[in-house]
Amino acid sequence: MKKLLIIFLAVYIPLGCSAQQQTTSETKKQPNIILLFADDAGYADFGFQGSKEMITPNLDKLASEGVRFTQAYVTHPTCGPSRAGLITGKSQYRFGYEENNVPTYMSEVSAVDGTEMGLPVEEVTVADYLKKQGYATAIYGKWHLGGADRFHPTKRGFDEFYGFRGGARSYFEYTEEPKDHMNKMERGFGNFEEHKGYLTDALADESLLFIKKNAKANKPFFAFLSFNAVHTPMDAKPEDLAKFPELTGKRKIVAAMSLALDRAVGKVLDKLKELGIDNNTIVVFTNDNGGPTDANASSNLPLSGIKATHLEGGIRVPFLMKWPGKLTPNTTYTKPICTFDLLPTFYMAAGGNTTDIKDIDGVDLLPYINGQNKERPHETLFWKRDARAAMRKGDWKLIRFPDRPAELFYLPDDEAELNNLAAAEPERYLKMYKELFAWETTLERPRWLLKKEYERRDVERMDKHWPIKDSQ
């Protein structure tokens, strides 16, 4: 009997250990990461944000399967600087990426970098960090972080790139090769190849090939779908326009463009499920800045302001995150976060060590979302452009203007920023004003400066969309 017991244990124990090791190995498997990034979308222009006009079933489903963030901020209210903050995990003002997008014409700019304007090559990107963790990395769509070769995505940590270097282009294939290399579709480095069909669909289709390839190889991947939808030009497919017979003008077109964006998101989510990797994939959806209502008829309601302003409508964006088994489905997170939090969040999820991340401003969001850390991810956030600036400290927000006294708002009671409390809170007002200036003194000088006429234009745009207009 003893002999039989010994034989049984000899066989059973290793099998038991093997099963336990396998389970441990599975739980430690690195998650795939997909970042779905919209361009110039309105805060209110999704079903999960309450829109009754837009048709976004795939994003609405993503919201029900993950966490919706009600106070998510970008690092800047325009495309290029916002991307610079996200991709480096830090406030881009600290390395001089402040003024605006990389300008198109040198006659309109004074620049430290001359024709070589872009994301400084010494800055480490989220793709750089994830490659160190063994990830395959790819970006599809809009780059907008410098057109010179040394700023190219494939030199900034991305293994694959299919997209364009500039900030905007046609959604339809060019019949003739564009003279400006920033507008050309490019595969890899220097291989110009126009897409077929509608660009938003094409970008999703390209990403599916990358996803399938790496899933088959059992290799963790990071796919950054940097859509240019719904940025101008206002291009939409006729069949998408037909879905909105009750709308007219640009509002009709932006609705059709949003439908295409949602369809592209659906393609990606469906592919993850088809491949059986959806339960081991982090999916984030967000936007680069507030909607430019005057350009594409987007809506930021109930927030005041638009793109390029420091009002909530310029800097607060829709934000969703899904991670099965790690995040509770169909929940909301109400404390302020920022898009520069994505780099440390992704890196830690990939198995990275916080001591490896140098000189960033973002934090790993997971402990905050799950309630392990009850504090706010950020007590203070800052924004700046030329003489204009803003800061949020706790629930208070100060906005400094170039042509009038600064104003103070208490956001829980006034997210539309209509009730200036500067006179009622003089001590708080002065303290925040001084803290904002103290922060500015720590920054690198801007790498380029636009003509002052652009600043005047944006102040005028701010006034036009503040307070909230019914036409928005």
Side-chain angles (χ1 to χ4, degrees):
M1 184 67 182
K2 276 187 178 180
K3 190 173 183 181
L4 287 173
L5 180 61
I6 291 169
I7 293 171
F8 173 79
L9 290 173
V11 173
Y12 176 79
I13 291 174
L15 286 174
C17 289
S18 176
Q20 186 176 15
Q21 288 167 355
Q22 186 178 355
T23 302
T24 303
S25 174
E26 288 175 352
T27 57
K28 289 184 177 179
K29 187 177 179 181
Q30 292 168 296
N32 306 304
I33 302 170
I34 294 180
L35 174 56
L36 305 164
F37 203 52
D39 190 357
D40 279 9
Y43 184 75
D45 283 342
F46 301 95
F48 67 85
Q49 291 288 87
S51 177
K52 303 300 182 185
E53 293 179 327
M54 300 297 174
I55 302 174
T56 56
N58 294 296
L59 284 165
D60 299 344
K61 183 180 178 184
L62 179 62
S64 71
E65 294 175 341
V67 180
R68 183 171 70 91
F69 295 74
T70 61
Q71 297 194 71
Y73 289 95
V74 289
T75 63
H76 195 277
T78 53
C79 304
S82 174
R83 282 168 167 73
L86 180 153
I87 207 168
T88 61
K90 65 194 290 186
S91 175
Q92 72 285 345
Y93 309 107
R94 295 205 285 119
F95 51 84
Y97 210 124
E98 169 192 322
E99 187 66 17
N100 204 328
N101 303 320
V102 174
T104 304
Y105 303 104
M106 287 306 298
S107 61
E108 297 180 351
V109 66
S110 169
V112 173
D113 294 331
T115 57
E116 295 286 288
M117 292 178 290
L119 182 70
V121 295
E122 62 270 19
E123 296 298 330
V124 184
T125 72
V126 61
D128 290 323
Y129 277 108
L130 290 174
K131 277 183 71 69
K132 290 180 181 178
Q133 293 300 111
Y135 277 65
T137 58
I139 179 169
Y140 300 96
K142 175 174 172 174
W143 177 238
H144 212 199
L145 290 172
D149 287 349
R150 68 191 181 110
F151 301 124
H152 195 271
T154 58
K155 299 181 184 295
R156 309 312 301 271
F158 290 98
D159 299 320
E160 297 187 17
F161 171 57
Y162 184 66
F164 57 100
R165 301 189 194 189
R169 57 152 287 150
S170 171
Y171 288 76
F172 298 104
E173 181 183 0
Y174 289 124
T175 55
E176 295 182 4
E177 184 175 304
K179 294 180 180 179
D180 186 352
H181 78 289
M182 300 286 278
N183 294 331
K184 298 176 183 179
M185 291 298 291
E186 185 176 0
R187 186 179 298 281
F189 179 74
N191 303 308
F192 297 109
E193 180 186 316
E194 280 293 298
H195 66 287
K196 303 296 182 183
Y198 191 67
L199 183 54
T200 306
D201 292 322
L203 295 176
D205 292 340
E206 287 289 334
S207 75
L208 300 187
L209 300 175
F210 174 78
I211 291 168
K212 184 177 179 180
K213 176 179 66 177
N214 286 286
K216 185 176 180 180
N218 201 28
K219 184 177 178 65
F221 61 82
F222 169 53
F224 184 3
L225 276 79
S226 181
F227 295 106
N228 54 318
V230 291
H231 195 292
T232 53
M234 303 298 288
D235 292 340
K237 298 171 71 173
E239 55 266 43
D240 290 338
L241 289 165
K243 298 287 180 60
F244 302 93
E246 73 287 357
L247 299 179
T248 60
K250 288 184 179 180
R251 188 64 181 161
K252 184 185 186 83
I253 301 173
V254 79
M257 295 170 75
S258 298
L259 176 61
L261 173 66
D262 184 79
R263 180 172 60 243
V265 168
K267 288 182 179 182
V268 174
L269 299 180
D270 288 347
K271 179 59 69 174
L272 295 176
K273 191 172 185 64
E274 176 191 321
L275 295 171
I277 59 174
D278 53 324
N279 284 331
N280 190 46
T281 301
I282 300 171
V283 180
V284 171
F285 171 79
T286 189
N287 186 44
D288 63 347
N289 44 247
T293 306
D294 53 354
N296 68 0
S298 52
S299 172
N300 298 316
L301 294 172
L303 309 176
S304 292
I306 61 172
K307 173 182 179 177
T309 77
H310 292 135
L311 294 164
E312 291 291 285
I315 56 178
R316 197 194 294 192
V317 292
F319 195 108
L320 304 174
M321 182 183 292
K322 174 188 173 184
W323 190 2
K326 297 289 185 179
L327 299 177
T328 305
N330 202 27
T331 56
T332 58
Y333 186 77
T334 60
K335 294 175 182 175
I337 66 162
C338 191
T339 48
F340 57 37
D341 295 325
L342 287 174
L343 184 152
T345 301
F346 291 165
Y347 185 66
M348 293 302 294
N353 191 312
T354 51
T355 59
D356 298 335
I357 306 177
K358 307 297 183 185
D359 190 33
I360 67 166
D361 298 300
V363 299
D364 176 13
L365 290 174
L366 193 63
Y368 295 93
I369 304 169
N370 285 337
Q372 295 167 269
N373 190 327
K374 303 292 185 183
E375 302 297 319
R376 293 172 181 251
H378 303 283
E379 182 63 23
T380 308
L381 292 168
F382 297 97
W383 300 268
K384 174 176 168 54
R385 180 172 158 185
D386 200 85
R388 289 186 288 142
M391 69 175 292
R392 174 168 177 160
K393 190 173 185 66
D395 287 326
W396 292 85
K397 183 177 173 188
L398 180 82
I399 306 180
R400 193 184 69 201
F401 308 97
D403 61 345
R404 71 202 76 171
E407 298 189 16
L408 180 68
F409 305 98
Y410 184 63
L411 294 177
D413 296 338
D414 183 25
E415 65 180 358
E417 298 162 290
L418 303 178
N419 185 21
N420 178 17
L421 298 175
E425 294 274 348
E427 291 185 14
R428 185 189 306 275
Y429 175 82
L430 180 59
K431 185 176 181 180
M432 289 180 67
Y433 198 103
K434 291 175 71 67
E435 186 176 348
L436 177 58
F437 175 72
W439 168 75
E440 286 179 299
T441 63
T442 68
L443 305 179
E444 183 60 71
R445 62 173 174 165
R447 289 178 175 266
W448 52 83
L449 295 171
L450 299 183
K451 286 182 177 179
K452 290 298 182 179
E453 66 186 69
Y454 294 104
E455 186 67 4
R456 182 185 69 231
R457 180 200 65 182
D458 285 338
V459 170
E460 291 171 352
R461 293 172 73 197
M462 176 191 70
D463 285 339
K464 184 178 179 181
H465 295 275
W466 183 37
I468 299 171
K469 306 294 184 183
D470 292 337
S471 60
Q472 185 179 337

PDB file of all heavy atoms in Angstrom, residues 102-106 109-118 146-151 181-182 447-448:
ATOM      1  N   VAL A 102       3.262  71.832 -35.557  1.00  0.00           N
ATOM      2  CA  VAL A 102       4.407  72.197 -36.391  1.00  0.00           C
ATOM      3  C   VAL A 102       3.884  72.997 -37.577  1.00  0.00           C
ATOM      4  O   VAL A 102       3.040  72.515 -38.333  1.00  0.00           O
ATOM      5  CB  VAL A 102       5.145  70.943 -36.888  1.00  0.00           C
ATOM      6  CG1 VAL A 102       6.237  71.328 -37.873  1.00  0.00           C
ATOM      7  CG2 VAL A 102       5.727  70.172 -35.712  1.00  0.00           C
ATOM      8  N   PRO A 103       4.319  74.257 -37.752  1.00  0.00           N
ATOM      9  CA  PRO A 103       3.770  75.108 -38.819  1.00  0.00           C
ATOM     10  C   PRO A 103       4.121  74.594 -40.207  1.00  0.00           C
ATOM     11  O   PRO A 103       5.133  73.928 -40.411  1.00  0.00           O
ATOM     12  CB  PRO A 103       4.430  76.462 -38.564  1.00  0.00           C
ATOM     13  CG  PRO A 103       4.926  76.391 -37.162  1.00  0.00           C
ATOM     14  CD  PRO A 103       5.278  74.961 -36.920  1.00  0.00           C
ATOM     15  N   THR A 104       3.281  74.947 -41.171  1.00  0.00           N
ATOM     16  CA  THR A 104       3.481  74.508 -42.544  1.00  0.00           C
ATOM     17  C   THR A 104       4.479  75.400 -43.270  1.00  0.00           C
ATOM     18  O   THR A 104       5.344  74.925 -44.002  1.00  0.00           O
ATOM     19  CB  THR A 104       2.145  74.511 -43.306  1.00  0.00           C
ATOM     20  OG1 THR A 104       1.217  73.693 -42.592  1.00  0.00           O
ATOM     21  CG2 THR A 104       2.315  73.955 -44.710  1.00  0.00           C
ATOM     22  N   TYR A 105       4.366  76.728 -43.035  1.00  0.00           N
ATOM     23  CA  TYR A 105       5.181  77.657 -43.802  1.00  0.00           C
ATOM     24  C   TYR A 105       6.186  78.355 -42.900  1.00  0.00           C
ATOM     25  O   TYR A 105       5.836  78.935 -41.887  1.00  0.00           O
ATOM     26  CB  TYR A 105       4.297  78.695 -44.489  1.00  0.00           C
ATOM     27  CG  TYR A 105       3.249  78.084 -45.379  1.00  0.00           C
ATOM     28  CD1 TYR A 105       1.922  78.029 -44.985  1.00  0.00           C
ATOM     29  CD2 TYR A 105       3.610  77.538 -46.601  1.00  0.00           C
ATOM     30  CE1 TYR A 105       0.956  77.455 -45.806  1.00  0.00           C
ATOM     31  CE2 TYR A 105       2.654  76.964 -47.432  1.00  0.00           C
ATOM     32  CZ  TYR A 105       1.325  76.920 -47.028  1.00  0.00           C
ATOM     33  OH  TYR A 105       0.393  76.348 -47.834  1.00  0.00           O
ATOM     34  N   MET A 106       7.459  78.314 -43.303  1.00  0.00           N
ATOM     35  CA  MET A 106       8.506  78.919 -42.494  1.00  0.00           C
ATOM     36  C   MET A 106       8.331  80.433 -42.376  1.00  0.00           C
ATOM     37  O   MET A 106       8.794  81.048 -41.426  1.00  0.00           O
ATOM     38  CB  MET A 106       9.874  78.601 -43.086  1.00  0.00           C
ATOM     39  CG  MET A 106      10.310  77.157 -42.870  1.00  0.00           C
ATOM     40  SD  MET A 106      10.255  76.673 -41.129  1.00  0.00           S
ATOM     41  CE  MET A 106      11.452  77.800 -40.452  1.00  0.00           C
ATOM     42  N   VAL A 109       6.746  81.585 -38.987  1.00  0.00           N
ATOM     43  CA  VAL A 109       7.241  81.008 -37.744  1.00  0.00           C
ATOM     44  C   VAL A 109       8.666  81.458 -37.431  1.00  0.00           C
ATOM     45  O   VAL A 109       9.464  81.727 -38.316  1.00  0.00           O
ATOM     46  CB  VAL A 109       7.177  79.463 -37.830  1.00  0.00           C
ATOM     47  CG1 VAL A 109       8.127  78.949 -38.871  1.00  0.00           C
ATOM     48  CG2 VAL A 109       7.473  78.818 -36.486  1.00  0.00           C
ATOM     49  N   SER A 110       8.935  81.548 -36.135  1.00  0.00           N
ATOM     50  CA  SER A 110      10.299  81.705 -35.644  1.00  0.00           C
ATOM     51  C   SER A 110      10.616  80.453 -34.861  1.00  0.00           C
ATOM     52  O   SER A 110       9.889  80.107 -33.922  1.00  0.00           O
ATOM     53  CB  SER A 110      10.409  82.929 -34.727  1.00  0.00           C
ATOM     54  OG  SER A 110      11.646  82.943 -34.058  1.00  0.00           O
ATOM     55  N   ALA A 111      11.657  79.732 -35.233  1.00  0.00           N
ATOM     56  CA  ALA A 111      11.857  78.408 -34.648  1.00  0.00           C
ATOM     57  C   ALA A 111      13.291  78.156 -34.221  1.00  0.00           C
ATOM     58  O   ALA A 111      14.232  78.555 -34.882  1.00  0.00           O
ATOM     59  CB  ALA A 111      11.444  77.338 -35.646  1.00  0.00           C
ATOM     60  N   VAL A 112      13.432  77.467 -33.103  1.00  0.00           N
ATOM     61  CA  VAL A 112      14.731  77.007 -32.639  1.00  0.00           C
ATOM     62  C   VAL A 112      15.272  75.945 -33.588  1.00  0.00           C
ATOM     63  O   VAL A 112      16.445  75.907 -33.919  1.00  0.00           O
ATOM     64  CB  VAL A 112      14.607  76.425 -31.210  1.00  0.00           C
ATOM     65  CG1 VAL A 112      15.920  75.788 -30.781  1.00  0.00           C
ATOM     66  CG2 VAL A 112      14.229  77.521 -30.229  1.00  0.00           C
ATOM     67  N   ASP A 113      14.370  75.062 -34.059  1.00  0.00           N
ATOM     68  CA  ASP A 113      14.796  73.922 -34.849  1.00  0.00           C
ATOM     69  C   ASP A 113      14.817  74.182 -36.350  1.00  0.00           C
ATOM     70  O   ASP A 113      15.104  73.285 -37.132  1.00  0.00           O
ATOM     71  CB  ASP A 113      13.873  72.731 -34.580  1.00  0.00           C
ATOM     72  CG  ASP A 113      13.996  72.228 -33.154  1.00  0.00           C
ATOM     73  OD1 ASP A 113      15.084  72.391 -32.586  1.00  0.00           O
ATOM     74  OD2 ASP A 113      13.020  71.695 -32.622  1.00  0.00           O
ATOM     75  N   GLY A 114      14.486  75.397 -36.790  1.00  0.00           N
ATOM     76  CA  GLY A 114      14.454  75.675 -38.212  1.00  0.00           C
ATOM     77  C   GLY A 114      13.495  74.740 -38.927  1.00  0.00           C
ATOM     78  O   GLY A 114      12.402  74.488 -38.473  1.00  0.00           O
ATOM     79  N   THR A 115      13.945  74.221 -40.074  1.00  0.00           N
ATOM     80  CA  THR A 115      13.085  73.310 -40.838  1.00  0.00           C
ATOM     81  C   THR A 115      12.960  71.945 -40.178  1.00  0.00           C
ATOM     82  O   THR A 115      12.195  71.105 -40.643  1.00  0.00           O
ATOM     83  CB  THR A 115      13.645  73.120 -42.257  1.00  0.00           C
ATOM     84  OG1 THR A 115      14.984  72.644 -42.163  1.00  0.00           O
ATOM     85  CG2 THR A 115      13.597  74.420 -43.030  1.00  0.00           C
ATOM     86  N   GLU A 116      13.702  71.714 -39.117  1.00  0.00           N
ATOM     87  CA  GLU A 116      13.684  70.417 -38.443  1.00  0.00           C
ATOM     88  C   GLU A 116      12.765  70.413 -37.232  1.00  0.00           C
ATOM     89  O   GLU A 116      13.078  69.855 -36.187  1.00  0.00           O
ATOM     90  CB  GLU A 116      15.108  70.041 -38.011  1.00  0.00           C
ATOM     91  CG  GLU A 116      16.056  69.822 -39.163  1.00  0.00           C
ATOM     92  CD  GLU A 116      15.792  68.499 -39.877  1.00  0.00           C
ATOM     93  OE1 GLU A 116      16.087  67.444 -39.315  1.00  0.00           O
ATOM     94  OE2 GLU A 116      15.257  68.555 -40.999  1.00  0.00           O
ATOM     95  N   MET A 117      11.610  71.051 -37.355  1.00  0.00           N
ATOM     96  CA  MET A 117      10.686  71.124 -36.228  1.00  0.00           C
ATOM     97  C   MET A 117       9.942  69.808 -36.042  1.00  0.00           C
ATOM     98  O   MET A 117       9.428  69.236 -36.995  1.00  0.00           O
ATOM     99  CB  MET A 117       9.688  72.266 -36.436  1.00  0.00           C
ATOM    100  CG  MET A 117      10.323  73.639 -36.357  1.00  0.00           C
ATOM    101  SD  MET A 117       9.115  74.951 -36.662  1.00  0.00           S
ATOM    102  CE  MET A 117       8.814  74.722 -38.404  1.00  0.00           C
ATOM    103  N   GLY A 118       9.868  69.350 -34.805  1.00  0.00           N
ATOM    104  CA  GLY A 118       9.172  68.108 -34.497  1.00  0.00           C
ATOM    105  C   GLY A 118       9.471  67.664 -33.084  1.00  0.00           C
ATOM    106  O   GLY A 118      10.103  68.383 -32.298  1.00  0.00           O
ATOM    107  N   GLY A 146       6.323  66.006 -36.682  1.00  0.00           N
ATOM    108  CA  GLY A 146       7.530  66.391 -37.398  1.00  0.00           C
ATOM    109  C   GLY A 146       7.611  65.692 -38.739  1.00  0.00           C
ATOM    110  O   GLY A 146       7.412  64.475 -38.818  1.00  0.00           O
ATOM    111  N   GLY A 147       7.899  66.461 -39.792  1.00  0.00           N
ATOM    112  CA  GLY A 147       7.939  65.895 -41.128  1.00  0.00           C
ATOM    113  C   GLY A 147       9.310  65.461 -41.588  1.00  0.00           C
ATOM    114  O   GLY A 147       9.432  64.690 -42.540  1.00  0.00           O
ATOM    115  N   ALA A 148      10.364  65.939 -40.934  1.00  0.00           N
ATOM    116  CA  ALA A 148      11.716  65.557 -41.338  1.00  0.00           C
ATOM    117  C   ALA A 148      11.971  64.081 -41.035  1.00  0.00           C
ATOM    118  O   ALA A 148      11.369  63.508 -40.125  1.00  0.00           O
ATOM    119  CB  ALA A 148      12.746  66.428 -40.623  1.00  0.00           C
ATOM    120  N   ASP A 149      12.880  63.490 -41.776  1.00  0.00           N
ATOM    121  CA  ASP A 149      13.123  62.050 -41.649  1.00  0.00           C
ATOM    122  C   ASP A 149      13.516  61.625 -40.236  1.00  0.00           C
ATOM    123  O   ASP A 149      13.163  60.541 -39.786  1.00  0.00           O
ATOM    124  CB  ASP A 149      14.219  61.618 -42.635  1.00  0.00           C
ATOM    125  CG  ASP A 149      13.730  61.607 -44.076  1.00  0.00           C
ATOM    126  OD1 ASP A 149      12.509  61.735 -44.292  1.00  0.00           O
ATOM    127  OD2 ASP A 149      14.575  61.467 -44.985  1.00  0.00           O
ATOM    128  N   ARG A 150      14.251  62.478 -39.544  1.00  0.00           N
ATOM    129  CA  ARG A 150      14.707  62.064 -38.214  1.00  0.00           C
ATOM    130  C   ARG A 150      13.575  61.976 -37.201  1.00  0.00           C
ATOM    131  O   ARG A 150      13.746  61.390 -36.134  1.00  0.00           O
ATOM    132  CB  ARG A 150      15.806  63.007 -37.701  1.00  0.00           C
ATOM    133  CG  ARG A 150      15.365  64.423 -37.384  1.00  0.00           C
ATOM    134  CD  ARG A 150      16.596  65.300 -37.143  1.00  0.00           C
ATOM    135  NE  ARG A 150      16.235  66.669 -36.802  1.00  0.00           N
ATOM    136  CZ  ARG A 150      16.407  67.193 -35.599  1.00  0.00           C
ATOM    137  NH1 ARG A 150      16.894  66.446 -34.615  1.00  0.00           N
ATOM    138  NH2 ARG A 150      16.087  68.449 -35.367  1.00  0.00           N
ATOM    139  N   PHE A 151      12.418  62.537 -37.523  1.00  0.00           N
ATOM    140  CA  PHE A 151      11.265  62.454 -36.636  1.00  0.00           C
ATOM    141  C   PHE A 151      10.305  61.324 -37.034  1.00  0.00           C
ATOM    142  O   PHE A 151       9.249  61.172 -36.424  1.00  0.00           O
ATOM    143  CB  PHE A 151      10.476  63.771 -36.647  1.00  0.00           C
ATOM    144  CG  PHE A 151      11.277  64.963 -36.231  1.00  0.00           C
ATOM    145  CD1 PHE A 151      11.384  66.072 -37.062  1.00  0.00           C
ATOM    146  CD2 PHE A 151      11.917  65.000 -35.005  1.00  0.00           C
ATOM    147  CE1 PHE A 151      12.117  67.183 -36.676  1.00  0.00           C
ATOM    148  CE2 PHE A 151      12.654  66.106 -34.614  1.00  0.00           C
ATOM    149  CZ  PHE A 151      12.759  67.205 -35.452  1.00  0.00           C
ATOM    150  N   HIS A 181       5.173  66.251 -49.210  1.00  0.00           N
ATOM    151  CA  HIS A 181       5.360  64.885 -48.705  1.00  0.00           C
ATOM    152  C   HIS A 181       4.601  64.639 -47.404  1.00  0.00           C
ATOM    153  O   HIS A 181       4.352  63.491 -47.034  1.00  0.00           O
ATOM    154  CB  HIS A 181       6.848  64.596 -48.503  1.00  0.00           C
ATOM    155  CG  HIS A 181       7.432  65.192 -47.263  1.00  0.00           C
ATOM    156  ND1 HIS A 181       7.641  66.546 -47.106  1.00  0.00           N
ATOM    157  CD2 HIS A 181       7.842  64.615 -46.105  1.00  0.00           C
ATOM    158  CE1 HIS A 181       8.158  66.776 -45.916  1.00  0.00           C
ATOM    159  NE2 HIS A 181       8.288  65.630 -45.287  1.00  0.00           N
ATOM    160  N   MET A 182       4.185  65.696 -46.714  1.00  0.00           N
ATOM    161  CA  MET A 182       3.448  65.541 -45.461  1.00  0.00           C
ATOM    162  C   MET A 182       2.059  64.950 -45.698  1.00  0.00           C
ATOM    163  O   MET A 182       1.459  64.383 -44.784  1.00  0.00           O
ATOM    164  CB  MET A 182       3.310  66.897 -44.765  1.00  0.00           C
ATOM    165  CG  MET A 182       4.614  67.567 -44.418  1.00  0.00           C
ATOM    166  SD  MET A 182       5.447  66.804 -43.017  1.00  0.00           S
ATOM    167  CE  MET A 182       4.567  67.585 -41.656  1.00  0.00           C
ATOM    168  N   ARG A 447       9.935  75.997 -28.919  1.00  0.00           N
ATOM    169  CA  ARG A 447      10.821  75.696 -30.040  1.00  0.00           C
ATOM    170  C   ARG A 447      10.426  76.467 -31.297  1.00  0.00           C
ATOM    171  O   ARG A 447      11.222  76.589 -32.229  1.00  0.00           O
ATOM    172  CB  ARG A 447      10.826  74.190 -30.308  1.00  0.00           C
ATOM    173  CG  ARG A 447      11.536  73.410 -29.228  1.00  0.00           C
ATOM    174  CD  ARG A 447      11.506  71.913 -29.479  1.00  0.00           C
ATOM    175  NE  ARG A 447      12.306  71.234 -28.484  1.00  0.00           N
ATOM    176  CZ  ARG A 447      13.585  70.906 -28.627  1.00  0.00           C
ATOM    177  NH1 ARG A 447      14.205  71.200 -29.748  1.00  0.00           N
ATOM    178  NH2 ARG A 447      14.242  70.288 -27.670  1.00  0.00           N
ATOM    179  N   TRP A 448       9.174  76.927 -31.360  1.00  0.00           N
ATOM    180  CA  TRP A 448       8.741  77.773 -32.466  1.00  0.00           C
ATOM    181  C   TRP A 448       7.615  78.668 -31.991  1.00  0.00           C
ATOM    182  O   TRP A 448       6.903  78.358 -31.032  1.00  0.00           O
ATOM    183  CB  TRP A 448       8.297  76.955 -33.679  1.00  0.00           C
ATOM    184  CG  TRP A 448       7.286  75.900 -33.383  1.00  0.00           C
ATOM    185  CD1 TRP A 448       5.942  76.052 -33.279  1.00  0.00           C
ATOM    186  CD2 TRP A 448       7.550  74.516 -33.147  1.00  0.00           C
ATOM    187  NE1 TRP A 448       5.344  74.861 -32.988  1.00  0.00           N
ATOM    188  CE2 TRP A 448       6.313  73.894 -32.906  1.00  0.00           C
ATOM    189  CE3 TRP A 448       8.714  73.733 -33.117  1.00  0.00           C
ATOM    190  CZ2 TRP A 448       6.195  72.542 -32.641  1.00  0.00           C
ATOM    191  CZ3 TRP A 448       8.596  72.380 -32.855  1.00  0.00           C
ATOM    192  CH2 TRP A 448       7.361  71.800 -32.622  1.00  0.00           C
TER     193      TRP A 448
END
